[in-house]
Each structure stands twice: as C-alpha cells, then as structure tokens.
Amino acid sequence: MSSELDDLAGAVRSVIDRRWSASALRAAIDSPAGYDRDLWSVLCDQVGIAALAVPEAQDGLGAGVRALQVVAEQLGRHLIPSPYLGSSVLATTLLAGTGETELLAGLASGERIAAVAFAGEDFDDRPITTSGGTLSGTARLVLDGDLADDLLVIAEDELHLVDPAAISRRHTPSMDPTRRFAEIVVDGAPTRRIGDAAGLARALDAACAVLAAEQAGAAARALEITVEYAGSRVQFGRPIGSFQALKHRMADMYVLVESARSAALAAGDALDRDDAEAALAVATAKTYCSEAFSTVAAEMIQLHGGIGITWEHDAHLYFKRAHSSSQLFGDPAHHLARRELAHS
C-alpha cells in the first residue's frame, strides 16, 4: 500500500464512519433505488470514487486497478449497496478506450450511472445480436440495469450505446438484497455503435479483481464481528472465544481472510503492470476470494449461534453477499477452467 492508496482508503473510511450504520444499510436496501443516493453523492463529490477509472485526458483521475480495489474493500466491509462496481468499474473501464468523452464525464461526476448488458443465462453466452442497425436479444443479471442512465450493450463483437427508454428493463430481485440486478430485453431497438467489444475482457478482469477485493473486505469485517461477539458472549462462566476449539476456527478464518486479500491485491498489481499472467492472477483471486468469503460467512453464522440466523443481525446479509458475489462475473468453476487454460 502506497501512501496515496492509504490516503484514499482513509478518505473513504472517514465518509463511511460518519454516514453509515446498520439501519442505513436496511434503509438503502428498501429504497426505490436500492442504494443511498446521498452517500453515493458524497463519495463522488468529496473522494472522487466515480472518476478513478476515467483517464486523465478525459477529466478523470486515471487511477489503476489497485486504487479501485481500495475503495471496493472499504465498501465491501459494510456491504454498502452502490453503482460503484457496475458503473464506476465495469462500464467506465469498458468506455475508457473508446474516446466517449461526454459519456465518461457524466460517469466521472457520479451524476449518471451506466450498465453493461452482455450475458444471458450462461455467463459465456452473448445473447444479443445486431441486424440492420438494430439490436435484439435478452441479457440477464445486468448490474443496476433498471436504473442506468446509459446502457452499454455487447452485441456479437461490437459495443453499442442504447437509449434505455427504447428497451424493456425489469428489476430482478435476487437472494442478495445488497446487489441490484435487472433483465434487459432489446427488441429491434435503435442503437449507436461506439466501438468494438475487444475491451470487454480487460474490463471484466478489472471488475473481477475489484470484486475480489470487495469480497476480501467483507470477509475481514465478518471475522471482526465474529471475534467481537466471541469475546463478549459468555457460556459456562467464560467468554466463548476462550474455548480452544473456537480459537482454532477463528484462526482458520483469519488465514482465509489474509490469503484472500493477498490474492486480490496480487491480481490488481498484475493488471496495473500489464503482466503477461494477469488473467491467471485474476482467475486465482476470483476463485479463492469467492470460496474464502463463503466459508467465513458460513462460520460467522455458526459461531454466533442462534442470533446468527435472525433477520435483525447482519450475518445473513454477509452470507447472501458471499454467495451472490461468488457467481457474479463467472463462478469459481469458470475461473478454475480459465486457470487450467492459462497453464496449458
């Protein structure tokens, strides 16, 4: 961590500490947008998180993947719903190489958000096709797709900008209430081609590396909450954290958390260096962080006992975020296959 990255983490953490709480999380989940617009505005205005991936030549901050990861780690610790991953990371990274200055300026301020529609029921499927200047097809699990001001669509080998008013968008609730998805139906909608789809692979690698850091941050916070509870919950006249068996389980959780963070940051470093094996590092991070977070979240519920399965406690939200994140941008099996391909 450089001093600049430490300062960025501190700035994000300071805003969150002032403005976020368990009640704020539930209020954000229940809001029409699914996130706290005021918090998002403050993070964009005071810290500039939406401008990080925008090139300096287009009035952005021109930061690398590691800076994006620093923000995601802090947001992940508190399960903060926001357009950050879908708009400020995936869509912005995809647009950065197209020269779409006007679009990027809107995203950099955080006043507009963008969504990327590219996959069907199978993550590897590209269901939208183009013919005669119009698009047709259905994309599923589009991050923030029902709220986006700008909709980017991958059709075959091309990147298109589609007017959201000209298509059908439907919010699709998932097991994880802290992440917002939509189904996008494009039926003969007019479109403007803004480039080819060559940048999608790079944008997805960046999004996976940032998601891995978010998973590591959430896992770290889940462990902290569990350790705090184990130190205060008394059974048989002693805090349950003093029992050797529980110490071992929490020590195992700590190893998973630290290893996950290491894998995530290694992927970010590899992408920023344009390393030849960056794709392998990303696949490793996405696989390991998904499994580590899922394990830690499950242990969090177990070690909290009865309170861990109540609606009022946050444990179930960490558990749901862990399992939804493991499937996002390809499940562990998909990324294990990528590793095998990279080794072959």
Side-chain angles (χ1 to χ4, degrees), residues 31-42:
S31 70
Y35 69 97
D36 186 329
R37 291 183 184 273
D38 289 337
L39 176 65
W40 174 249
S41 178
V42 171

Side-chain angles (χ1 to χ4, degrees), residues 11-291:
V12 175
R13 191 163 50 244
S14 175
V15 172
I16 292 172
D17 288 345
R18 293 197 315 267
R19 304 181 66 94
W20 199 248
S21 64
S23 60
L25 172 58
R26 283 159 173 76
I29 290 171
D30 292 335
S31 70
Y35 69 97
D36 186 329
R37 291 183 184 273
D38 289 337
L39 176 65
W40 174 249
S41 178
V42 171
L43 286 169
C44 292
D45 293 344
Q46 296 185 10
V47 186
I49 66 170
L52 288 171
V54 178
E56 289 183 284
Q58 292 158 325
D59 297 325
L61 297 178
V65 176
R66 282 289 293 106
L68 296 171
Q69 288 182 312
V70 164
V71 174
E73 190 173 357
Q74 296 302 320
L75 297 178
R77 286 177 58 85
H78 301 278
L79 307 181
I80 296 176
S82 78
Y84 180 71
L85 184 61
S87 181
S88 304
V89 178
L90 179 59
T92 301
T93 303
L94 185 57
L95 279 172
T98 66
E100 288 289 332
T101 303
E102 186 176 346
L103 283 177
L104 284 169
L107 299 185
S109 68
E111 294 177 359
R112 299 179 67 85
I113 66 172
V116 183
F118 65 92
E121 293 183 358
D122 183 345
F123 174 72
D124 291 320
D125 178 33
R126 301 292 181 262
I128 298 178
T129 58
T130 178
S131 177
T134 62
L135 304 181
S136 297
T138 300
R140 294 183 169 85
L141 299 179
V142 180
L143 276 173
D144 305 309
D146 59 321
L147 301 174
D149 303 293
D150 302 303
L151 183 63
L152 305 175
V153 176
I154 300 293
E156 299 169 5
D157 296 324
E158 299 176 343
L159 174 62
H160 295 261
L161 179 67
V162 178
D163 181 0
I167 64 170
S168 171
R169 303 192 287 176
R170 181 175 66 89
H171 172 52
T172 53
S174 72
M175 174 186 69
D176 176 12
T178 68
R179 195 89 76 186
R180 194 174 184 95
F181 298 101
E183 178 184 83
I184 303 297
V185 179
V186 184
D187 186 12
T191 175
R192 177 165 71 88
R193 184 182 182 278
I194 59 175
D196 58 44
L200 179 61
R202 165 75 185 189
L204 282 172
D205 274 349
C208 283
V210 173
L211 177 57
E214 179 196 279
Q215 291 171 310
R221 182 56 186 155
L223 173 59
E224 290 173 7
I225 293 170
T226 303
V227 171
E228 290 168 4
Y229 177 77
S232 61
R233 175 71 167 91
V234 174
Q235 188 69 35
F236 306 113
R238 296 168 54 185
I240 62 172
S242 67
F243 294 112
Q244 193 73 9
L246 299 192
K247 287 182 180 180
H248 287 168
R249 290 173 70 173
M250 285 182 281
D252 289 341
M253 292 166 69
Y254 178 78
V255 172
L256 287 173
V257 167
E258 291 300 304
S259 300
R261 188 166 189 266
S262 179
L265 301 191
D269 282 336
L271 286 171
D272 283 344
R273 294 195 313 269
D274 201 19
D275 193 295
E277 294 192 344
L280 178 61
V282 170
T284 300
K286 181 59 168 67
T287 301
Y288 190 85
C289 291
S290 293
E291 296 181 346

Side-chain angles (χ1 to χ4, degrees), residues 222 226 229-230 233 240 246 249-250 253 294-310 313 315-316 319:
T226 303
Y229 177 77
R233 175 71 167 91
I240 62 172
L246 299 192
R249 290 173 70 173
M250 285 182 281
M253 292 166 69
S294 294
T295 300
V296 170
E299 285 286 84
M300 178 189 196
I301 289 177
Q302 287 284 322
L303 294 176
H304 273 78
I307 195 176
I309 60 172
T310 61
H313 199 276
H316 71 98
F319 185 82

